[in-house]
Amino acid sequence: MTSPRSANIKLILLAAAVVIVVSTLLYTRFIVEQLLHKERGVADLYAKSLQFIANAPNDQVDYSFIFDEVIRSIDFPMVLSDAGGNPLTPFYSTTRNIQLDSTRTDQQQEEYLRAIIDDLDNQNAAIRVTVQGDVIQLVHYGESKLITKLRWLPYAEIAVAGMFIIIGYIGFSYVKRNEQSNIWVGMSKETAHQLGTPLSSLMGWLELMKDHAADSPKMMGTLADMESDVH
């Protein structure tokens, strides 16, 4: 039978587990949303930089701020394509954080990057680069490795919290069983002691009565029955 105190401890453990899980998920989701917003801003700035270069006269274009500030801050996978979604060449300069195999042919590289673009578009909508209202390029980008790790972090934390709660519950149950066992042992010893005292006294009185009733067979029979009951 579960005591009220035991039930309360189990409820506390369950409530703690729920609070840990919900708090972890909400906080991690908040961090991921903040990082996604930052990456979206970087990708949008890169697209605007390309748009600025495309629209500005050649003698007024300054590429330094793009290469020094914008491109350097890109730590997520990104592919630049034309308006139809075809990867632009040269592939090494129009991609970021994409593992390219130099042994592939240009056609194989293009097919590989098309698959990458499809995957990136499933993560985020492509950003358009326009010139006089016409889309000339698309910036496809995905999530950085940090965000991917953060998405898995809550599950790892939940697993650790779950193990902690399970170990705590098992430890509590083990301590409780030991306490119950010690209580039963103590009660058994006390009961044996309490019963031993009057029984020893009764056995002594029976022996004394046998000495006085040695000449009465009927009384000896009764004493024998009483001695059997006492044993």
Side-chain angles (χ1 to χ4, degrees):
M1 184 177 181
T2 304
S3 64
R5 182 180 178 182
S6 176
N8 290 336
I9 292 178
K10 292 179 179 178
L11 289 176
I12 291 173
L13 288 175
L14 180 60
V18 173
V19 170
I20 291 173
V21 170
V22 173
S23 301
T24 301
L25 290 176
L26 291 178
Y27 182 73
T28 305
R29 182 177 179 181
F30 172 76
I31 297 297
V32 168
E33 291 295 333
Q34 293 293 319
L35 291 175
L36 285 174
H37 180 72
K38 179 182 177 181
E39 290 184 357
R40 171 75 183 184
V42 173
D44 189 60
L45 180 60
Y46 178 72
K48 289 180 178 179
S49 301
L50 295 176
Q51 186 171 311
F52 167 77
I53 294 174
N55 285 279
N58 292 334
D59 57 348
Q60 297 181 11
V61 175
D62 182 10
Y63 296 96
S64 60
F65 79 98
I66 298 177
F67 291 102
D68 294 341
E69 303 297 333
V70 180
I71 296 180
R72 191 183 347 182
S73 63
I74 298 176
D75 60 350
F76 47 87
M78 189 194 69
V79 179
L80 192 63
S81 72
D82 59 19
N86 303 306
L88 296 178
T89 57
F91 300 126
Y92 286 94
S93 62
T94 59
T95 61
R96 294 289 295 175
N97 302 303
I98 300 293
Q99 190 69 32
L100 296 176
D101 189 352
S102 59
T103 61
R104 293 193 183 105
T105 63
D106 289 344
Q107 184 178 358
Q108 291 174 333
Q109 292 280 34
E110 184 175 351
E111 292 176 356
Y112 171 72
L113 288 176
R114 284 179 185 276
I116 295 293
I117 286 174
D118 291 338
D119 183 59
L120 296 179
D121 289 345
N122 289 330
Q123 299 179 30
N124 298 296
I127 301 177
R128 300 177 178 181
V129 179
T130 60
V131 174
Q132 297 179 353
D134 296 326
V135 178
I136 61 170
Q137 293 176 345
L138 295 174
V139 177
H140 311 269
Y141 70 102
E143 298 177 354
S144 63
K145 293 182 179 180
L146 177 60
I147 292 180
T148 303
K149 292 178 181 179
L150 283 175
R151 288 190 183 277
W152 284 101
L153 179 61
Y155 300 100
E157 292 177 343
I158 290 170
V160 173
M163 291 178 59
F164 171 77
I165 293 172
I166 291 174
I167 292 173
Y169 180 82
I170 293 175
F172 169 74
S173 300
Y174 178 77
V175 171
K176 182 182 177 182
R177 283 197 299 269
N178 282 344
E179 290 178 350
Q180 290 178 341
S181 177
N182 292 334
I183 291 173
W184 282 113
V185 170
M187 290 178 62
S188 299
K189 291 181 179 180
E190 184 64 21
T191 302
H193 174 73
Q194 294 296 335
L195 289 175
T197 301
L199 288 177
S200 299
S201 178
L202 286 174
M203 293 176 67
W205 283 108
L206 286 173
E207 293 296 327
L208 182 62
M209 292 174 69
K210 286 180 182 179
D211 294 339
H212 289 82
D215 298 333
S216 176
K218 185 176 181 180
M219 182 62 70
M220 289 298 294
T222 301
L223 291 174
D225 292 339
M226 292 176 63
E227 185 175 17
S228 177
D229 292 340
V230 168
H231 281 294

